[in-house]
Amino acid sequence: KLQGEGPAWVFRDGLVYPARWVRDGTMEMPKFLDAEGTPISFRPVNVWIALVPNYTSIYWDASN
């Protein structure tokens, strides 16, 4: 029943990209857009999507 849009982080090819997810209807797949609004493409492999509530803080060490 996820519908609407919100912030996202796309982890791909060893990098992280700030993004936005968009899903207009419950019968379509969510789209992920980069900062300019361009759709982010995924390779034809398994893709994992994790939903995190807005009240959850996420931290990672990007220095490694």
Side-chain angles (χ1 to χ4, degrees):
K1 296 184 179 182
L2 183 66
Q3 192 172 347
E5 64 180 75
W9 295 97
V10 174
F11 296 83
R12 184 180 136 185
D13 302 326
L15 300 172
V16 60
Y17 302 91
R20 191 176 91 227
W21 65 268
V22 177
R23 187 170 184 221
D24 295 327
T26 58
M27 298 303 291
E28 64 182 57
M29 296 296 291
K31 297 176 189 135
F32 294 89
L33 309 174
D34 66 15
E36 288 78 37
T38 305
I40 297 172
S41 62
F42 295 96
R43 297 174 189 244
V45 297
N46 292 332
V47 174
W48 286 266
I49 298 173
L51 303 176
V52 181
N54 287 341
Y55 55 82
T56 303
S57 296
I58 300 174
Y59 302 96
W60 72 85
D61 182 0
S63 65
N64 292 329

